[in-house]
Amino acid sequence: MNVLEFKARKQAGRKLSMVTCYDFWSAQILAESDVDTLLVGDSLAMVMHGFDSTVHADVDLMALHIRAVARGAPNKFIVGDMPFLSARKGLVPTMDAVQALMQAGASAVKIEGEAGQVELIAHVVESGVPVVGHLGLTPQSVHALGGHKVQARDDAAARVLLESSRKLADAGCCALVLECVPSAVAHSITAALEIPTIGIGAGPHTDGQVLVLQDMLGMNPNFKPKFLRHYANGFEMISGAVNEFHADTCGGCFPSAAESYR
Ligand code: KIV
């Protein structure tokens, strides 16, 4: 996978898959998988560090995780999230952040939102850095949006979203993440753009889908938004294995002779 394949895949009518990845050991597993792209999302602030929103991620934290993922999956196209406000402090700080993420091993950066940053995104693209846009529910704006809610539910908001999507495509984005928008809205945006849309909670008509790895693996069985499919019972699998180890240890049947040095 390289950046040129995004548009080619759309033209060929072939869907794109993306999952989040935050660390070396899961990157090694994903490196051997068929998934097309990895996203070092700022959701790592919540999933890996227990914060209540992505607002708590910063450039150093993102770069640390991108370095680990790049070491584990050097063969994959890695998208690194520009964290909260890192693209909103002017050109030089933005480019410093882009540099940090790319030098950490990202193949592209993802920037949330459109308003006030189209020129900046065009500049990043002109500088030789692929940019993935992100519209709909943009979690870094959770405080302004009043929570993690489905966006563009009415016609006016859907029109604004379509217009923003066009602006990001014109600015040179190689793909666009659409998060938590009605299916029909994502469908019409997908039909209007030459670049692929990658949906999360945006229905089946986008050009690709992205999920948070831990969510799709069922690591938190209580987190089950409508759009999520659990592909494994990760929580049960891990706690079951650890309990088995505990029982074997306490019962004196681990380690066996074969598992011991002579
Ligand atoms: O940070 C993230 O995981 C994301 C996805 C939800 C698209 O941006």
Side-chain angles (χ1 to χ4, degrees):
M1 190 76 195
N2 68 51
V3 68
L4 303 176
E5 281 180 53
F6 281 82
K7 234 186 226 177
R9 289 281 282 268
K10 176 159 184 153
Q11 282 162 356
R14 287 178 57 211
K15 299 248 182 187
L16 281 157
S17 64
M18 175 186 265
V19 289
T20 62
C21 183
Y22 311 127
D23 53 51
F24 176 73
W25 74 268
S26 63
Q28 282 188 302
I29 297 171
L30 296 176
E32 300 296 319
S33 75
D34 296 332
V35 76
D36 291 312
T37 56
L38 306 185
L39 170 64
V40 185
D42 59 357
S43 52
L44 63 80
M46 302 169 79
V47 178
M48 300 296 281
H49 297 277
F51 289 109
D52 62 355
S53 78
T54 61
V55 164
H56 302 275
D58 64 19
V59 173
D60 289 343
L61 187 68
M62 294 307 301
L64 180 79
H65 284 276
I66 291 170
R67 273 195 291 276
V69 171
R71 282 192 290 267
N75 58 329
K76 291 288 185 188
F77 190 92
I78 299 170
V79 179
D81 249 345
M82 289 280 282
F84 183 59
L85 296 185
S86 63
R88 302 293 303 190
K89 296 179 185 170
L91 189 60
V92 175
T94 299
M95 295 311 288
D96 285 344
V98 169
Q99 182 176 1
L101 302 197
M102 296 302 285
Q103 289 182 342
S107 326
V109 296
K110 176 161 77 60
I111 300 178
E112 286 189 13
E114 171 274 317
Q117 46 196 29
V118 170
E119 281 178 20
L120 187 133
I121 288 173
H123 181 77
V124 176
V125 174
E126 280 163 16
S127 306
V129 175
V131 177
V132 174
H134 183 159
L135 293 175
L137 171 57
T138 46
Q140 290 169 17
S141 305
V142 61
H143 296 295
L145 298 175
H148 294 100
K149 296 179 177 163
V150 178
Q151 301 296 306
R153 278 193 180 279
D154 60 61
D155 287 352
R159 272 195 300 276
V160 171
L161 189 61
L162 174 59
E163 206 37 50
S164 294
S165 304
R166 285 204 168 106
K167 286 184 191 164
L168 290 184
D170 291 347
C173 284
C174 63
L176 175 65
V177 168
L178 289 174
E179 180 165 355
C180 288
V181 298
S183 262
V185 174
H187 195 179
S188 55
I189 292 173
T190 300
L193 301 186
E194 281 182 18
I195 60 169
T197 55
I198 302 176
I200 174 164
H205 304 295
T206 51
D207 300 301
Q209 297 290 332
V210 52
L211 284 177
V212 169
L213 182 67
Q214 284 78 355
D215 293 348
M216 60 172 279
L217 294 181
M219 292 300 186
N220 179 0
N222 298 326
F223 182 63
K224 187 78 181 63
K226 186 180 170 74
F227 66 80
L228 177 62
R229 186 178 295 177
H230 283 160
Y231 285 87
N233 290 323
F235 185 95
E236 277 173 29
M237 193 198 78
I238 292 176
S239 60
V242 171
N243 285 342
E244 224 177 293
F245 161 71
H246 171 79
D248 286 354
T249 298
C250 295
C253 53
F254 177 81
S256 66
E259 289 156 337
S260 306
Y261 297 109
R262 297 172 60 193

